[in-house]
């Protein structure tokens, strides 16, 4: 299960970039604005092995 590293929201087992981007824009607009060069995966997912 992947979690958003900003808020801890469960994002599912294999969230798509589209799902991640939607969550990011809707829940973390301030972070979106300052991190536009990152992919949603880089910005939102904890590095879990």
């Amino acid at each position: 299960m992947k979690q958003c590293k900003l808020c801890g929201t469960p994002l599912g087992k294999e969230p798509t970039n589209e799902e991640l981007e939607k969550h990011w824009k809707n829940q973390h607009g301030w972070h979106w604005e300052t991190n536009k060069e990152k992919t949603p995966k880089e910005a939102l997912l904890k590095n879990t092995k």
Side-chain angles (χ1 to χ4, degrees):
M1 178 69 77
K2 307 278 188 203
Q3 283 185 312
C4 174
K5 69 181 178 186
L6 297 175
C7 66
T9 299
L11 297 169
K13 193 167 183 156
E14 286 300 323
T16 65
N17 260 357
E18 204 171 279
E19 291 168 336
L20 292 172
E21 195 169 297
K22 188 175 177 187
H23 173 79
W24 194 12
K25 284 180 179 176
N26 290 343
Q27 303 298 319
H28 309 294
W30 57 272
H31 189 266
W32 169 261
E33 287 300 319
T34 56
N35 290 278
K36 285 181 181 170
E37 76 283 354
K38 289 186 181 177
T39 68
K41 255 186 187 165
E42 289 171 335
L44 295 184
L45 295 184
K46 294 178 179 173
N47 290 333
T48 54
K49 292 182 180 177

